[in-house]
Amino acid sequence: MADRRAVGFGDPDGAPATDPPVAGVATSRQMLDDHAMAHLVPERSKRGHKGSFGKLLVVAGSLDYAGAAFLVCRAAGRAGAGLVTLAVPESLQPLFAAKVVEATTMALPEDDVEEVDPEPALAKILDHDHDALVIGPGLRPSLATADLLRLLLTTPDEPEEGWPEQPSEQAERERPRSVDASPVVLDAEALRTLASADAWWTRVGRRCVLTPHAGEFARLRAGSGHDPADDGDLNTDDDARARAAAAAAAEWKQVVVLKGARTVIADPDGRLAVAPFENPAMASGGTGDVLSGTIGALLAQGLDAFDAASLGVYLHGLAGDVVRDRIGDAGLLAGDLPDALPIGRRRLARLAERDRAGRRLGFGASREAGTADDEAGSTGADPGATTETGDQGGAS
Amino acid sequence: MADRRAVGFGDPDGAPATDPPVAGVATSRQMLDDHAMAHLVPERSKRGHKGSFGKLLVVAGSLDYAGAAFLVCRAAGRAGAGLVTLAVPESLQPLFAAKVVEATTMALPEDDVEEVDPEPALAKILDHDHDALVIGPGLRPSLATADLLRLLLTTPDEPEEGWPEQPSEQAERERPRSVDASPVVLDAEALRTLASADAWWTRVGRRCVLTPHAGEFARLRAGSGHDPADDGDLNTDDDARARAAAAAAAEWKQVVVLKGARTVIADPDGRLAVAPFENPAMASGGTGDVLSGTIGALLAQGLDAFDAASLGVYLHGLAGDVVRDRIGDAGLLAGDLPDALPIGRRRLARLAERDRAGRRLGFGASREAGTADDEAGSTGADPGATTETGDQGGAS
Amino acid sequence: MADRRAVGFGDPDGAPATDPPVAGVATSRQMLDDHAMAHLVPERSKRGHKGSFGKLLVVAGSLDYAGAAFLVCRAAGRAGAGLVTLAVPESLQPLFAAKVVEATTMALPEDDVEEVDPEPALAKILDHDHDALVIGPGLRPSLATADLLRLLLTTPDEPEEGWPEQPSEQAERERPRSVDASPVVLDAEALRTLASADAWWTRVGRRCVLTPHAGEFARLRAGSGHDPADDGDLNTDDDARARAAAAAAAEWKQVVVLKGARTVIADPDGRLAVAPFENPAMASGGTGDVLSGTIGALLAQGLDAFDAASLGVYLHGLAGDVVRDRIGDAGLLAGDLPDALPIGRRRLARLAERDRAGRRLGFGASREAGTADDEAGSTGADPGATTETGDQGGAS
Amino acid sequence: MADRRAVGFGDPDGAPATDPPVAGVATSRQMLDDHAMAHLVPERSKRGHKGSFGKLLVVAGSLDYAGAAFLVCRAAGRAGAGLVTLAVPESLQPLFAAKVVEATTMALPEDDVEEVDPEPALAKILDHDHDALVIGPGLRPSLATADLLRLLLTTPDEPEEGWPEQPSEQAERERPRSVDASPVVLDAEALRTLASADAWWTRVGRRCVLTPHAGEFARLRAGSGHDPADDGDLNTDDDARARAAAAAAAEWKQVVVLKGARTVIADPDGRLAVAPFENPAMASGGTGDVLSGTIGALLAQGLDAFDAASLGVYLHGLAGDVVRDRIGDAGLLAGDLPDALPIGRRRLARLAERDRAGRRLGFGASREAGTADDEAGSTGADPGATTETGDQGGAS
């Protein structure tokens, strides 16, 4: 488990700290930790049914990138979504139906092999009951994909043909965000599509979480008229990463997750969070798909976009640490991660319970830190074999 | 493991308790527990062969809901069925043949892609040797499916076209139930079909176990001419759930399993059982498919419908507790459950053995409760890694 | 683990015992045990390569019974075969290629969908280098299958059309068995085919192991002109089972494995062995496929037919006990067995080493029994999690 | 774990030893061990992303040998490659897309079913960003495959039609090796193709690692105009194996891995290494595919061809020992190996860290040997269940 104390910026106890303004944007930068994240874990009603815990619709996967869709769905299930549906071009449905177990699949109409027909595909998606969407992992680049994405993001704003002209600053500020439209995670091919769309952020009618890695982020910035070089080194300079993510979130009016070592989460309202994880085992194909499924599941469970993104990044990072503790710095396969997700969630849920118990007894949350770290140490065990003893001790 | 002592109604030692009559139906309501369930576990002859332990035929699955069929079959195998056969529309057989291992598959004739041809499909099903049926999980909604279901349920009653007119009370009471026809679990799409069929319960020629969740139950009740609102809150009001299930079982003359937290099992003869499980981890897509496969396997092993339903619900709940003990309140995938089913069965089988030994020595069953609970605690371990020591101690 | 001491017939230390002649056939009946089986385990040269350890060709599987072929192949690999090839009708190859990992697949020419063309299929099989064959599990019943089987069994005897007339006793006794033709395990559909072929045993040019369960055996006996009723109760009467298997082996001049609780293995030379296993968990679809793969792998490793059948039955039984110790009397899936096969093999290999060491030191094998049983107890652990300590102690 | 001390040649502490010249080639022969291999493990930057750790392109698999491609890809991921892409003939892509999870797939254009069209296939491969290639495991023998291989190996040397005439010694020595072309592992069908190509080694424009077993090696030698009989017994005579591999590497100007017990790795510059492993469990179909994927992943991570081959052979051997410790001398399936690869890598990485720490404190590497062997003993545990404690003790 990475030593998160040695990080050197942010408050190790997780209390939000106000950074000096960066690039003209006032932000409160928070280093994510167990205590900050514990209170975000959605409580799970004993009488809940599968509908209570969120329905996620996933638009992902292609013949070239079939595993991506599988990873999103499995991660979403392990992150607690009640129901997960995978929408794929009709001709690929048999392939994906053979690959998933708990997720259901849905055929999107095509006008050519593996090429969705955007309008009827949109209709089918909107007709399917869902609380959140994940769009992009492993999608095949094509005009049809781009059209479907545009329709999905601008609906219910009745978009005209093409991405619209950039509206005036005034119009943009007054643009109503549709409160009915379900929130959406945008990843991979969806991000590449946005990067080449003019001023996409001025017409998006949904709350989005964008999850670019440094390369995708640079393309998006370039598409917004910024020279990526001005953003600095987005792979290794943590301050540059924070500044750039904050600026992008402010401009795009969406939550931005800039992935990599020490992933940054930025909200358009100026909130800024940094995850403590630096795990080279995670630098492996498909780990991003697991992240988008995790965030999507949390959105479907009702979390706010910034909270879903923060907790999703944190649970994903904990899962990576669990696997690294087991196999080392190299050789992690993305498919290892979903099964490790519940370990972190349970740990945080227990911590939240103790914090509540502690507060009832008049103790502050910080009294619990030692206990939490002890438990963190024990998560190195094989998730399959771990049997943690109950927490009878509570806050005492 | 849920603390079943704290339940507060029903006898914690499992003895049936007679409730005051509810809604005019005299019922004996029983809270299921280890002791009550232990004696239902079918003994397993040392000389039995795969035919001895029941042949289950499963009509389930579609392209959209492929995993459902897989889950039913795997659960049935883990619940002890000797042979499991999955019947699917001919065009889907290759998909399902690739998905299962121990189950065999059977092609149902189609008159269109993924659309069964009801009459020849019926003939093929009846021609295939089986002791019980599961119908419905993941089936594709269609007129053909509805027709096939109608034919299956009314055979060997030589049904005419369409669901028949409601017969007189007198005729209904005297309607002979075919003793030859194998019993059937009706779930999911089968229940939705019944909900829109007129007075289906007056002509069904088989012993059925219906396994609706609250939403499916409400539709079935509406289809029987009741205002679901009169049944009260079927998600959270345990008394309302018991009353409604009992009334429905009495009207439909079939065993009704009203799923959810504290699942209710009602028999038309007035018996009523409640399972103690409230496990939010189970509120996840596909867990119902595992239940119908479990009940189907127990029917195939020769249990009476009410017993199969009760024990099936109980084993399913124990399996859920085993998984929750391992991963927590969220992130369970339905595919985790089948492998955990044998753990509960073995625990109950051992308890039954001790009870028998205890009785031989002059002790009552209640002496064993402490031991049983101790063992319950130990089932929290990974099923794959659990090695329980033998029971040399017996009842001493 | 079954208590094999309590069996009450046969020598518990594994020494062959001569039974009184049964039904006119002088037989030496042996209860299989660890010591008897240990010395059959083929030693594994440190410098061997995959060709050294046997090439097995499997003709199995169909759309209805796809899992059977998978189970045969996986069992064969776990039983130590160096290379396993699965031959299937051409149109099914993609399905099976997706299902297996270590086994390779081979397309058999068809003259209709899923219907092999016998002559070219035979040519392709004979052209493929192999040391042993398994034929039958999950094969689709058809004339073409029957033809292919006939061609395979009678080659290289240049068969004429149809199964030949019964030859004279004299001609039969003098019929040379082709020493070049590789031995073959006949199971399931292959047995059903033989049951309706006239005097098939008079023209078979290969050494065979037939693995019928009681029902298949009865059909074979009927096909040989015997009234199955004369054989007695083949499910529960151990003496009747032994007598019938011995008689059949003598008549058919092939090794007969009469499956079930206490499986009997009979050689045409009068040797008769009985396995001690009575495990109701094994009465589950697909366990027979695992057995035929296991025996096939041992034939490919060079064991004599009777030895391969005996050791195969024994390893299969040990694997079943390992799984039963883990999950109990019900709920075993056949797919659990292959991974448990190496546990038993290793245990026997170690015992053989100790016996050899003991003999060098002047002790008899019986000194080791206690140690072997202790180790048997420890195999109840999860095969995946078992780490047995080394045997540094040797025979001391 | 094999006792590598008993080997009797080479320095057990891993220091390279200069052998007397064999067959006129001066070689330094090294017995590989933990210390020698530890310093080859590529360090893993905490800030690396998936692109940092190498992109591997795999040209492998066919309908007959589908599992081979799966094994190469999975091994490559477990050996630390950041991204793995599997290129297959277009008509087979759906099959392989269903089989892999983390690897992506790529369709190679065909001019007949399962028959690649060499020129456009080459173009597509070269267009796909990659750091190393694996070519050959499970490829279908065909002229098209041979053509594609020839194009790939001679590019960017602008090959004319056919393999060229043997050039003069002089021309050969001066032939520039393209520094841009990514290195390639050649296995199985690729080796069989080379064996029938005239003087292929005179025109290959890439750094290659050839991984023949003794049979493939003999064919390659015959194709180079040598009588394989002159090479001696390549299965059992270690000196003959070393001599022949060294001679072949010198002639072909490529790294040669002569597989088998005590695998030999020879570099054209005269370096010669021998792996200590003699594990009969590894003599099983598909283990070679795991090796080529492992070496390919290390090439992609930037190791020199000889180092990648040596470390790949060593990690593969350690993984085999881990599995053998768990299941014994027989019954290993190649699919067991990839998940065991990270165990050895982590062990070596820790040893390298201690060596570095030891040197800082003034101790030599040999002080660490005892510790390393202790840890080796512990790798016998199930990789899934192993939880090694941290190395707080460091070099002290």
Side-chain angles (χ1 to χ4, degrees):
Chain A
M1 195 78 38
D3 181 357
R4 288 171 208 117
R5 302 299 162 126
V7 158
F9 92 117
D11 177 349
D13 283 332
T18 305
D19 270 23
V22 275
V25 183
T27 61
S28 74
R29 195 196 297 184
Q30 179 189 24
M31 175 62 72
L32 301 181
D33 69 8
D34 282 12
H35 284 276
M37 290 298 98
H39 82 271
L40 294 183
V41 176
E43 285 195 66
R44 196 101 174 159
S45 156
K46 283 190 176 183
R47 308 295 299 232
H49 53 84
K50 61 191 172 186
S52 321
F53 299 128
K55 304 188 190 92
L56 182 67
L57 183 57
V58 177
V59 184
S62 59
L63 201 46
D64 284 8
Y65 302 91
F70 170 82
L71 290 167
V72 173
C73 293
R74 189 159 179 98
R78 286 293 186 209
L83 289 165
V84 180
T85 302
L86 172 63
V88 291
E90 190 167 15
S91 59
L92 294 181
Q93 194 184 10
L95 169 63
F96 287 100
K99 229 173 158 72
V100 297
V101 171
E102 292 85 5
T104 59
T105 60
M106 193 175 97
L108 297 179
E110 292 172 321
D111 45 21
D112 201 352
V113 174
E114 224 195 313
E115 197 72 80
V116 292
D117 192 356
E119 297 270 359
L122 176 73
K124 194 149 181 198
I125 288 170
L126 294 181
D127 195 46
H128 185 92
D129 186 23
H130 61 269
D131 302 305
L133 286 155
V134 173
I135 309 181
L139 280 188
R140 180 162 171 267
S142 77
L143 286 176
T145 302
D147 270 358
L148 175 58
L149 180 67
R150 181 179 51 80
L151 291 168
L152 259 168
L153 293 184
T154 54
T155 299
D157 279 352
E158 287 166 37
E160 296 147 50
E161 280 300 298
W163 292 89
E165 299 298 303
Q166 173 131 23
S168 67
E169 277 284 304
Q170 176 68 14
E172 185 182 342
R173 222 172 297 118
E174 288 168 2
R175 170 173 60 90
R177 169 154 291 142
S178 162
V179 290
D180 291 347
S182 51
V184 56
V185 180
L186 297 172
D187 190 25
E189 183 55 28
L191 299 175
R192 283 186 282 273
T193 297
L194 293 187
S196 57
D198 274 350
W200 54 269
W201 60 91
T202 61
R203 290 293 295 274
V204 168
R206 293 173 185 267
R207 194 79 169 118
C208 298
V209 177
L210 287 79
T211 58
H213 55 57
E216 291 162 340
F217 184 84
R219 275 195 292 275
L220 280 163
R221 290 285 275 171
S224 317
H226 302 270
D227 182 351
D230 295 343
D231 282 336
D233 178 350
L234 296 182
N235 279 315
T236 61
D237 179 343
D238 285 335
D239 284 334
R241 287 166 59 83
R243 256 193 318 266
E251 181 180 39
W252 301 335
K253 309 257 182 298
Q254 300 291 3
V255 171
V256 172
V257 174
L258 177 51
K259 296 186 294 194
R262 296 182 179 254
T263 290
V264 176
I265 305 102
D267 193 272
D269 73 3
R271 280 179 293 170
L272 191 66
V274 180
F277 307 98
E278 295 182 311
N279 181 352
M282 293 288 263
S284 171
T287 56
D289 308 323
V290 173
L291 178 62
S292 59
T294 304
I295 297 175
L298 295 170
L299 285 175
Q301 287 168 75
L303 265 69
D304 161 71
F306 181 73
D307 288 347
S310 300
L311 182 57
V313 165
Y314 200 76
L315 291 174
H316 183 254
L318 288 179
D321 281 358
V322 165
V323 177
R324 184 176 58 168
D325 285 349
R326 200 164 74 225
I327 70 162
D329 274 356
L332 175 149
L333 293 174
D336 300 339
L337 291 175
D339 288 0
L341 285 170
I343 299 174
R345 180 176 178 138
R346 178 164 60 168
R347 174 178 140 194
L348 297 183
R350 286 177 174 171
L351 184 56
E353 238 174 84
R354 277 183 233 150
D355 279 358
R356 282 192 290 270
R359 271 195 293 276
R360 280 196 301 273
L361 295 171
F363 298 116
S366 62
R367 292 283 300 258
E368 304 301 316
T371 317
D373 282 349
D374 291 350
E375 195 173 340
S378 81
T379 59
D382 179 343
T386 300
T387 308
E388 298 183 12
T389 55
D391 293 322
Q392 291 84 355
S396 65
Chain B
M1 194 80 37
D3 181 358
R4 290 175 207 113
R5 302 299 162 126
V7 157
F9 92 118
D11 177 350
D13 284 331
T18 304
D19 270 21
V22 274
V25 183
T27 60
S28 74
R29 195 195 297 185
Q30 179 187 26
M31 174 63 70
L32 301 181
D33 68 8
D34 282 10
H35 284 276
M37 291 297 99
H39 83 270
L40 295 184
V41 176
E43 285 196 66
R44 198 100 173 160
S45 156
K46 282 189 177 184
R47 307 296 297 234
H49 53 84
K50 61 191 172 187
S52 322
F53 299 129
K55 304 189 190 91
L56 182 68
L57 182 57
V58 176
V59 184
S62 59
L63 200 46
D64 284 7
Y65 302 92
F70 170 81
L71 290 167
V72 173
C73 293
R74 189 159 178 98
R78 287 292 186 210
L83 288 166
V84 180
T85 301
L86 173 63
V88 291
E90 190 166 16
S91 59
L92 294 181
Q93 195 184 11
L95 170 63
F96 287 100
K99 228 171 160 72
V100 297
V101 171
E102 291 85 7
T104 59
T105 60
M106 194 174 98
L108 298 180
E110 293 172 320
D111 46 21
D112 200 352
V113 174
E114 224 195 311
E115 198 71 80
V116 292
D117 192 357
E119 298 271 359
L122 176 73
K124 194 149 182 199
I125 287 171
L126 294 182
D127 195 47
H128 185 92
D129 186 23
H130 61 270
D131 302 304
L133 286 155
V134 172
I135 309 181
L139 280 187
R140 179 160 171 266
S142 77
L143 286 176
T145 302
D147 269 358
L148 175 58
L149 181 67
R150 180 178 53 79
L151 291 169
L152 258 168
L153 293 183
T154 54
T155 300
D157 279 352
E158 287 167 38
E160 297 147 51
E161 280 302 296
W163 292 90
E165 297 300 303
Q166 171 130 26
S168 69
E169 276 284 304
Q170 175 69 13
E172 185 182 344
R173 221 172 297 117
E174 287 168 5
R175 169 174 59 91
R177 169 152 292 144
S178 161
V179 290
D180 290 347
S182 51
V184 56
V185 180
L186 298 172
D187 190 23
E189 183 56 29
L191 299 175
R192 283 186 284 272
T193 297
L194 293 188
S196 57
D198 275 350
W200 53 269
W201 60 92
T202 61
R203 288 291 296 274
V204 168
R206 292 173 185 267
R207 195 76 169 118
C208 298
V209 176
L210 287 80
T211 58
H213 55 58
E216 291 162 340
F217 184 85
R219 274 195 292 276
L220 279 164
R221 290 285 275 170
S224 318
H226 302 270
D227 181 351
D230 295 344
D231 281 337
D233 179 350
L234 296 182
N235 279 314
T236 61
D237 179 344
D238 285 335
D239 284 334
R241 286 165 59 81
R243 255 192 320 265
E251 180 181 38
W252 301 335
K253 309 258 182 299
Q254 301 290 3
V255 171
V256 172
V257 174
L258 177 51
K259 296 187 294 195
R262 297 183 177 254
T263 290
V264 176
I265 304 102
D267 193 272
D269 73 3
R271 280 179 293 170
L272 191 65
V274 180
F277 307 98
E278 294 182 313
N279 181 350
M282 294 288 263
S284 171
T287 56
D289 308 323
V290 173
L291 177 62
S292 60
T294 304
I295 296 175
L298 295 170
L299 285 176
Q301 288 168 74
L303 266 68
D304 160 72
F306 182 72
D307 288 348
S310 300
L311 182 57
V313 165
Y314 200 76
L315 291 175
H316 182 256
L318 288 178
D321 280 358
V322 165
V323 177
R324 184 176 58 168
D325 285 348
R326 200 163 75 226
I327 70 161
D329 275 356
L332 176 149
L333 293 174
D336 300 339
L337 291 175
D339 288 0
L341 286 170
I343 299 174
R345 180 173 178 141
R346 178 165 60 169
R347 173 177 141 197
L348 298 183
R350 285 177 174 171
L351 185 56
E353 237 174 85
R354 276 183 234 151
D355 279 359
R356 283 191 289 271
R359 273 194 291 277
R360 281 195 300 272
L361 295 170
F363 297 117
S366 61
R367 294 283 300 257
E368 304 301 316
T371 316
D373 281 349
D374 291 351
E375 195 172 340
S378 79
T379 59
D382 180 343
T386 300
T387 309
E388 298 182 13
T389 54
D391 292 300
Q392 291 83 357
S396 65
Chain C
M1 194 82 33
D3 181 358
R4 288 172 208 116
R5 301 299 162 126
V7 158
F9 92 117
D11 177 349
D13 283 331
T18 304
D19 270 21
V22 275
V25 184
T27 61
S28 75
R29 194 196 297 185
Q30 178 188 25
M31 174 61 73
L32 301 182
D33 69 8
D34 282 11
H35 284 275
M37 292 297 99
H39 82 271
L40 294 184
V41 176
E43 285 196 66
R44 197 101 173 160
S45 155
K46 282 190 176 183
R47 308 296 298 231
H49 53 84
K50 61 191 171 187
S52 322
F53 300 128
K55 303 189 190 90
L56 182 67
L57 182 57
V58 176
V59 184
S62 59
L63 200 47
D64 284 7
Y65 302 92
F70 171 82
L71 289 167
V72 173
C73 293
R74 189 160 179 98
R78 286 293 185 209
L83 288 166
V84 180
T85 301
L86 172 62
V88 291
E90 189 166 16
S91 59
L92 295 181
Q93 194 183 10
L95 170 63
F96 287 100
K99 229 173 159 73
V100 296
V101 171
E102 292 85 7
T104 60
T105 60
M106 193 173 98
L108 298 179
E110 293 173 319
D111 46 20
D112 200 353
V113 173
E114 225 196 312
E115 198 71 80
V116 293
D117 192 357
E119 298 270 358
L122 176 73
K124 194 150 183 198
I125 288 170
L126 295 181
D127 195 46
H128 185 93
D129 186 23
H130 60 268
D131 301 305
L133 287 154
V134 172
I135 309 182
L139 279 188
R140 180 161 170 266
S142 78
L143 286 177
T145 302
D147 269 358
L148 174 58
L149 180 67
R150 181 179 53 78
L151 291 169
L152 258 168
L153 293 183
T154 54
T155 300
D157 279 354
E158 287 165 38
E160 296 148 51
E161 281 300 298
W163 291 89
E165 298 299 302
Q166 172 130 22
S168 69
E169 277 283 304
Q170 175 69 11
E172 185 182 344
R173 221 173 296 117
E174 288 168 1
R175 169 174 60 90
R177 170 153 292 144
S178 162
V179 290
D180 290 347
S182 51
V184 55
V185 180
L186 297 171
D187 189 25
E189 183 56 27
L191 300 174
R192 283 186 284 273
T193 298
L194 293 187
S196 56
D198 275 350
W200 54 270
W201 61 91
T202 61
R203 288 294 294 275
V204 168
R206 293 174 185 267
R207 194 78 169 116
C208 298
V209 176
L210 287 80
T211 58
H213 54 58
E216 291 162 339
F217 184 84
R219 275 194 294 275
L220 280 163
R221 290 287 275 170
S224 317
H226 302 270
D227 182 351
D230 294 343
D231 281 336
D233 178 349
L234 296 183
N235 279 314
T236 61
D237 179 345
D238 285 333
D239 284 335
R241 286 166 59 81
R243 256 192 318 266
E251 180 180 40
W252 302 335
K253 310 257 182 297
Q254 300 291 3
V255 171
V256 172
V257 174
L258 176 52
K259 297 186 294 194
R262 298 183 176 252
T263 291
V264 177
I265 305 103
D267 193 89
D269 72 4
R271 280 180 293 169
L272 192 66
V274 180
F277 307 99
E278 294 183 312
N279 181 352
M282 293 288 263
S284 171
T287 56
D289 308 322
V290 173
L291 177 63
S292 59
T294 304
I295 297 175
L298 295 169
L299 286 175
Q301 287 168 76
L303 264 70
D304 161 72
F306 182 73
D307 288 347
S310 300
L311 182 57
V313 165
Y314 200 75
L315 290 175
H316 183 255
L318 288 179
D321 280 357
V322 165
V323 176
R324 183 175 58 169
D325 285 348
R326 202 165 72 227
I327 70 161
D329 274 357
L332 175 148
L333 293 174
D336 299 339
L337 291 175
D339 289 359
L341 285 170
I343 299 174
R345 180 176 177 138
R346 177 164 61 169
R347 174 176 140 195
L348 297 183
R350 285 177 173 171
L351 185 56
E353 237 174 83
R354 277 184 233 150
D355 279 0
R356 282 190 291 270
R359 273 193 293 276
R360 282 196 299 273
L361 294 171
F363 297 116
S366 61
R367 293 283 300 257
E368 304 301 317
T371 316
D373 282 350
D374 290 351
E375 196 174 340
S378 81
T379 59
D382 180 343
T386 300
T387 308
E388 298 184 13
T389 54
D391 293 327
Q392 291 83 356
S396 64
Chain D
M1 194 84 32
D3 181 358
R4 288 172 208 117
R5 301 297 162 128
V7 158
F9 92 116
D11 177 348
D13 283 331
T18 305
D19 270 21
V22 276
V25 183
T27 60
S28 75
R29 194 195 297 185
Q30 179 188 24
M31 174 62 72
L32 300 182
D33 68 8
D34 283 9
H35 284 276
M37 291 298 98
H39 83 270
L40 294 184
V41 176
E43 285 196 65
R44 198 100 174 159
S45 155
K46 282 191 176 181
R47 308 296 299 233
H49 53 84
K50 62 191 172 187
S52 322
F53 299 127
K55 305 189 189 88
L56 182 68
L57 183 57
V58 176
V59 184
S62 59
L63 200 47
D64 283 8
Y65 303 91
F70 170 82
L71 290 167
V72 173
C73 292
R74 190 160 178 97
R78 286 293 186 210
L83 289 166
V84 180
T85 301
L86 172 63
V88 292
E90 190 166 15
S91 60
L92 294 181
Q93 194 183 11
L95 170 62
F96 287 100
K99 229 172 159 74
V100 297
V101 171
E102 292 85 7
T104 60
T105 60
M106 194 173 97
L108 297 180
E110 292 172 320
D111 45 21
D112 201 351
V113 174
E114 225 197 312
E115 198 72 79
V116 293
D117 192 356
E119 298 271 359
L122 176 73
K124 193 149 183 200
I125 287 171
L126 294 182
D127 196 46
H128 185 93
D129 186 22
H130 61 270
D131 302 305
L133 287 154
V134 173
I135 309 181
L139 279 188
R140 181 161 169 266
S142 78
L143 286 177
T145 301
D147 268 358
L148 175 59
L149 180 67
R150 181 179 52 79
L151 291 169
L152 258 168
L153 293 184
T154 54
T155 300
D157 278 352
E158 288 167 37
E160 297 147 51
E161 281 301 298
W163 292 89
E165 297 298 303
Q166 172 130 24
S168 69
E169 276 284 305
Q170 175 69 14
E172 185 182 343
R173 223 173 295 118
E174 287 167 5
R175 170 174 59 91
R177 169 153 291 145
S178 161
V179 290
D180 290 347
S182 52
V184 56
V185 180
L186 297 172
D187 190 26
E189 183 56 28
L191 300 174
R192 283 186 283 272
T193 297
L194 293 186
S196 57
D198 275 350
W200 54 269
W201 61 91
T202 62
R203 288 292 295 274
V204 168
R206 293 173 185 268
R207 195 78 169 116
C208 298
V209 176
L210 287 80
T211 58
H213 55 58
E216 291 163 338
F217 183 84
R219 274 194 293 275
L220 280 164
R221 289 286 274 170
S224 317
H226 302 269
D227 182 351
D230 295 343
D231 282 335
D233 178 349
L234 296 183
N235 280 315
T236 60
D237 179 344
D238 285 333
D239 284 334
R241 287 167 58 82
R243 255 192 320 266
E251 180 180 39
W252 302 335
K253 309 258 182 297
Q254 301 291 2
V255 170
V256 172
V257 174
L258 177 51
K259 296 186 294 194
R262 298 184 177 253
T263 290
V264 176
I265 305 102
D267 193 272
D269 73 3
R271 281 179 292 169
L272 192 65
V274 180
F277 307 99
E278 294 182 312
N279 181 351
M282 294 288 264
S284 171
T287 57
D289 307 323
V290 173
L291 177 62
S292 59
T294 304
I295 297 175
L298 295 170
L299 285 175
Q301 288 168 75
L303 265 68
D304 161 72
F306 182 72
D307 288 347
S310 300
L311 182 57
V313 165
Y314 200 75
L315 291 174
H316 182 255
L318 288 178
D321 280 358
V322 165
V323 177
R324 183 177 57 169
D325 286 348
R326 201 164 72 225
I327 70 162
D329 275 356
L332 176 148
L333 293 174
D336 299 339
L337 291 175
D339 289 359
L341 285 170
I343 299 174
R345 180 176 177 138
R346 178 165 60 168
R347 173 176 141 196
L348 297 183
R350 286 178 173 169
L351 185 56
E353 237 173 84
R354 277 183 232 151
D355 279 359
R356 283 190 291 270
R359 273 195 293 275
R360 280 196 300 273
L361 294 171
F363 298 117
S366 60
R367 294 283 301 257
E368 304 301 316
T371 316
D373 282 350
D374 292 350
E375 195 174 340
S378 81
T379 59
D382 180 343
T386 300
T387 307
E388 298 184 13
T389 55
D391 293 299
Q392 290 84 356
S396 64

